Every structure is written in structure tokens, then in C-alpha cells.
């Protein structure tokens, strides 16, 4: 039911953004092939459960078709075995290029070795695919910068350089199998760690290291239950939580749900990423302080440039050739710029640009 509603909502969102393809974006079926004669591109997305991947998939499909490609778009319900078998099918059904947003960056080595053997090129989409030499390009956002912006926001809002403090902070990052999570966490912690070390920021739960603050599958429910436990052990008496660093919107949603149910103190600063509709609504309602806007239309456009270059035997434009080593060497990358969003600029960023309609945010 939840998925159906999300689907309906997304169709409206996509239509409003002049994007197409919802009807084709079934979670298990192929999206067919209305593109053209330029060859087939397989697009493997992790899940339909999170809003952003639906947008990514729809954008990729629409833009690839417009460029004359046949598209096989698949979503894998966050299940690694499903994603592997979807990729196997793409290989056997004649895809020339694979665009993959992996569920677990380390689990695709074997299937991608098959792709390589058959001369099929691979583009890692948003998330780096690790330990595979089959990856030609990586298209993503500057993931470290995402974390830096979140950390700087907390630093500036609490005025950590001048205020006496100490302030209470809790930390939520993403799935350990997603290479991005370490970049988001790293960017933020590099800003905040000096204040933690100096005692100006205090993490009452004691959970600071990546492994202790990771959220399996980036799941809202997992974040919520961890926050429930943190509140009951440390803040049940109304002790103020000053800030919660959340690496993305699905974790921020879990934290917000938990605070609403269990917390009686003054509302904390909460960070996020993706500008998901539920979270933008929370920003408008004063329940989430900021998010990071990653325009998935831009990422899709950059990825289509890479597909084009591969198909034509030329080189795609990249802007980073040193950051993303996947264990077999540095993967030439294009890093799109993540943008800070809050209640003051969301209209310009999200509505004026056609990403959402005003009604969707009501
Ligand atoms: C993406 C984020 C997203 C998260 C959870 C990350 O790899 O970069 O935008 O919030 O996955 O899906």
C-alpha cells in the first residue's frame, strides 16, 4: 500500500517535472524498450522504497530514451541477490552498457567480471562499486562535501567557536555496504571531531565511531529504534539534545519520529540529505533544520553523457581523477555539486526549478 501510494505520488511528481516513465518503473519487471536503435542500456537501481531512487530511475529512463537508447530499468528491493540476477539478465539480453546504483558495493565482483568478459561497460551510479575492474566511470555527487556541509551547519548553528557549550550531539549515518556512507560520515566528522575532542560537543550515548552510528539499509525504522534507545538511556529526563547529525533524509525521518514520540526537551537541530518530500514538509514545519539537495536530473544527464561516450568510443568529461579508488585503481568520476537547502531557499531550489510542485509540499 505504502509503495503504491509512493508510486502514485511519484507519477504526479514526475509529470510535474516534465519527466516520464512512471508507468514503466515496475519494481520487478523490465521497463521495455521504446528508445531507439542506439543499443540497449541496463539500469539497475537499489530500491523503490526510497523516493530518490524512483526519481533517479525515471530520469535515467527518460533521458536515455530521448538519446535513442533502449532501456532495461530494474529495481531490486534492496536485495543483493535480486540485483545480481537482474544484472545477469541484462548481460544475457544484450545490454551494451550497465548503469548500476549498487545495494552493496562489494557484492558485484563476480557478475561484473562476466560483463567485462563480454565487453559490456559499467558505470557506477551514485554509489561506487568496489573491488571490480569492470567499472569504467563513476557518476555521483561530491559525497564528502555533503558531509562537510552538514557538519558545518551544526558548527555554525551552535556557534561552536564562540559559545560556551557543552552541547549534546547524536550521530546517524548510513549503510556500511554503501561506500558513500563513509564519505558523508567522514566529511561531517572531520568538521565536528575537534569539538567532540575538546568536550564542547558531547555524545551522551558514546556512539561516535562509524560502526556504532551506521544504519543498516539506511532504514527509517532502524534509525528510529536506535534513537528510541538513545533517548530512553540518556535523555528521558528532558536533558536537551542540541543536534542530531543525520547523513540523509530517511535516517532523519526515523530520528524525527522517535523525538516526536519520546522526547520532551527543546527540539534539536537535525540535518538531512535528498530533499525527500516528507523531509521538506518537516523543514517547513520546523522539525528538520536542513537537507542537501542533489538534483537527480543533473546526475542522470551526466550519466547519459558517459553512456554516449562509451557507445561512441570517445571519452566522457570527468572532473575528479583522484578521490574514488575502488580497490582496483581510481575510477574517473564526475562529481555533481550538492546544494544546501533549508526553509529559506527550498522554494527557489525545489519549486521554481520544477523539481516539485507547491501542492506536493502541502
Ligand atoms: C545516496 C543518498 C541516499 C542514500 C540512501 C546514498 O548512497 O547517495 O542520496 O539518501 O544512499 O538511499
Amino acid at each position: 500500500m505504502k509503495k503504491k501510494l509512493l508510486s502514485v505520488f511519484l507519477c504526479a511528481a514526475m509529470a510535474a517535472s516534465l519527466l516520464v516513465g512512471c508507468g514503466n518503473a515496475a519494481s520487478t519487471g523490465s521497463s521495455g524498450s521504446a528508445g531507439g536503435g542506439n543499443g540497449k542500456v541496463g539500469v539497475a537501481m537499489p530500491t523503490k522504497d526510497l523516493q530518490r531512487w524512483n526519481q533517479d530511475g525515471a530520469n535515467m529512463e527518460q533521458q536515455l530514451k530521448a538519446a535513442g537508447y533502449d532501456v532495461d530499468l530494474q529495481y531490486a528491493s534492496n536485495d543483493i541477490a535480486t540485483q545480481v540476477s537482474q544484472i545477469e539478465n541484462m548481460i544475457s539480453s544484450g545490454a551494451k552498457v550497465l548503469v548500476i546504483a549498487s545495494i552493496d558495493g562489494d557484492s558485484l565482483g563476480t557478475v561484473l567480471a562476466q560483463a567485462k568478459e563480454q565487453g559490456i561497460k559499467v558505470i557506477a551510479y551514485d554509489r561506487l562499486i568496489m573491488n571490480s575492474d569492470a567499472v569504467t566511470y563513476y557518476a555521483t555527487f561530491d559525497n564528502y562535501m555533503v558531509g562537510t556541509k552538514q557538519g558545518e551547519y551544526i558548527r555554525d548553528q551552535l556557534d561552536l567557536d564562540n559559545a560556551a557549550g557543552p552541547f549534546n550531539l547524536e550521530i546517524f549515518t548510513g549503510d556500511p555496504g554503501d561506500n558513500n556512507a563513509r564519505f558523508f560520515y567522514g566529511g561531517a566528522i572531520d568538521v565536528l571531531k575537534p569539538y567532540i575532542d575538546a568536550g564542547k560537543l558531547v555524545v551522551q550515548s558514546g556512539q561516535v565511531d562509524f560502526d556504532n552510528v551506521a544504519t543498516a539499509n539506511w532504514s527509517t525504522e532502524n534509525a528510529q529504534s536506535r534513537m528510541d534507545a538513545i533517548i530512553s538511556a540518556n535523555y528521558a529526563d528532558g536533558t536537551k539534545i542540541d543536534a542530531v547529525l543525520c547523513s540523509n533524509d530517511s535516517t532523519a525521518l526515523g530520528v524525527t519520529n522517535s523525538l516526536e514520540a519520546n522526547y520532551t526537551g527543546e527540539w534539536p537541530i537535525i540535518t538531512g540529505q535528498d530533499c525527500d518530500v516528507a523531509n521538506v514538509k518537516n523543514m517547513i514545519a520546523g522539525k528538520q533544520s536542513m537537507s542537501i539537495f542533489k538534483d537527480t536530473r543533473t546526475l542522470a544527464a551526466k550519466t547519459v553523457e558517459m553512456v554516449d561516450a562509451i557507445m561512441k568510443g570517445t571519452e566522457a568529461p570527468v572532473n575528479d581523477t583522484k578521490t574514488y579508488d575502488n580497490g582496483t585503481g581510481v575510477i574517473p568520476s564526475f562529481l555533481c555539486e550538492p546544494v544546501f537547502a533549508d526553509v529559506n531557499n527550498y522554494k527557489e531550489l525545489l519549486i521554481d526549478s520544477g523539481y516539485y510542485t507547491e501542492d506536493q509540499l502541502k
Side-chain angles (χ1 to χ4, degrees):
M1 183 63 179
K2 208 170 116 201
K3 277 188 194 167
K4 263 215 177 106
L5 278 176
L6 185 63
S7 241
V8 168
F9 154 74
L10 280 162
C11 280
M14 296 305 155
S17 311
L18 299 177
L19 301 170
V20 298
C22 282
N24 287 333
S27 44
T28 49
S30 157
S31 64
S33 54
N38 286 349
K40 184 164 170 180
V41 179
V43 180
M45 289 285 148
T47 174
K48 294 198 113 197
D49 288 351
L50 249 69
Q51 188 195 317
R52 78 150 289 187
W53 302 113
N54 291 268
Q55 283 167 312
D56 287 280
N59 292 341
M60 281 304 303
E61 181 173 55
Q62 189 266 328
Q63 295 189 26
L64 282 168
K65 283 184 174 173
Y69 297 105
D70 291 338
V71 182
D72 182 359
L73 170 64
Q74 301 289 337
Y75 292 87
S77 307
N78 258 339
D79 181 61
I80 297 169
T82 303
Q83 185 164 65
V84 169
S85 93
Q86 289 173 339
I87 294 170
E88 279 166 352
N89 287 337
M90 290 170 186
I91 295 171
S92 62
S93 69
K96 302 262 180 298
V97 178
L98 303 174
V99 175
I100 302 171
S102 54
I103 295 165
D104 180 318
D106 256 312
S107 302
L108 300 178
T110 311
V111 70
L112 294 189
Q114 289 169 36
K116 192 177 177 194
E117 247 175 55
Q118 301 193 30
I120 300 167
K121 305 283 189 202
V122 177
I123 298 170
Y125 182 93
D126 195 81
R127 298 171 170 173
L128 187 57
I129 297 165
M130 306 303 289
N131 301 312
S132 163
D133 64 359
V135 183
T136 306
Y137 291 116
Y138 179 33
T140 191
F141 288 85
D142 188 330
N143 297 306
Y144 185 82
M145 191 192 285
V146 169
T148 305
K149 282 180 194 275
Q150 295 167 334
E152 287 174 351
Y153 182 77
I154 290 176
R155 179 196 67 194
D156 296 348
Q157 290 296 308
L158 295 177
D159 194 16
L160 292 179
D161 287 327
N162 301 303
F167 298 102
N168 291 327
L169 169 78
E170 296 296 337
I171 304 170
F172 288 72
T173 195
D175 189 273
D178 177 355
N179 190 55
N180 287 353
R182 291 174 198 277
F183 279 82
F184 303 144
Y185 172 83
I189 216 72
D190 284 352
V191 176
L192 298 176
K193 188 81 176 9
Y195 302 100
I196 297 175
D197 290 345
K200 195 167 273 191
L201 281 177
V202 179
V203 181
Q204 298 286 354
S205 68
Q207 296 164 11
V208 177
D209 294 346
F210 180 87
D211 289 341
N212 292 324
V213 300
T215 309
N217 280 331
W218 291 95
S219 136
T220 295
E221 290 72 23
N222 291 343
Q224 185 167 342
S225 59
R226 190 174 143 245
M227 190 65 185
D228 288 348
I230 289 175
I231 293 174
S232 92
N234 305 282
Y235 303 96
D237 58 358
T239 300
K240 186 175 175 202
I241 307 171
D242 294 284
V244 188
L245 170 74
C246 296
S247 285
N248 86 330
D249 279 353
S250 59
T251 53
L253 203 56
V255 165
T256 304
N257 293 344
S258 172
L259 286 166
E260 281 191 311
N262 305 304
Y263 174 70
T264 51
E266 205 181 310
W267 200 259
I269 294 164
I270 300 175
T271 63
Q273 162 182 206
D274 290 335
C275 285
D276 283 350
V277 165
N279 299 74
V280 179
K281 286 183 176 173
N282 276 350
M283 288 203 301
I284 296 167
K287 293 189 216 161
Q288 181 172 323
S289 317
M290 59 85 80
S291 190
I292 300 285
F293 178 48
K294 305 199 299 191
D295 193 328
T296 52
R297 297 169 297 192
T298 313
L299 184 60
K302 281 291 156 199
T303 309
V304 173
E305 273 180 23
M306 289 173 174
V307 171
D308 270 336
I310 289 170
M311 293 289 201
K312 291 176 184 145
T314 58
E315 281 189 12
V318 293
N319 63 6
D320 184 290
T321 50
K322 57 181 195 321
T323 308
Y324 287 99
D325 188 326
N326 81 342
T328 66
V330 173
I331 307 299
S333 307
F334 194 97
L335 311 186
C336 303
E337 200 185 332
V339 177
F340 171 86
D342 72 0
V343 74
N344 298 312
N345 70 353
Y346 81 91
K347 279 194 179 146
E348 186 189 331
L349 279 182
L350 303 173
I351 297 174
D352 297 354
S353 78
Y355 208 71
Y356 298 136
T357 64
E358 204 149 12
D359 277 353
Q360 285 162 5
L361 301 178
K362 278 184 184 149

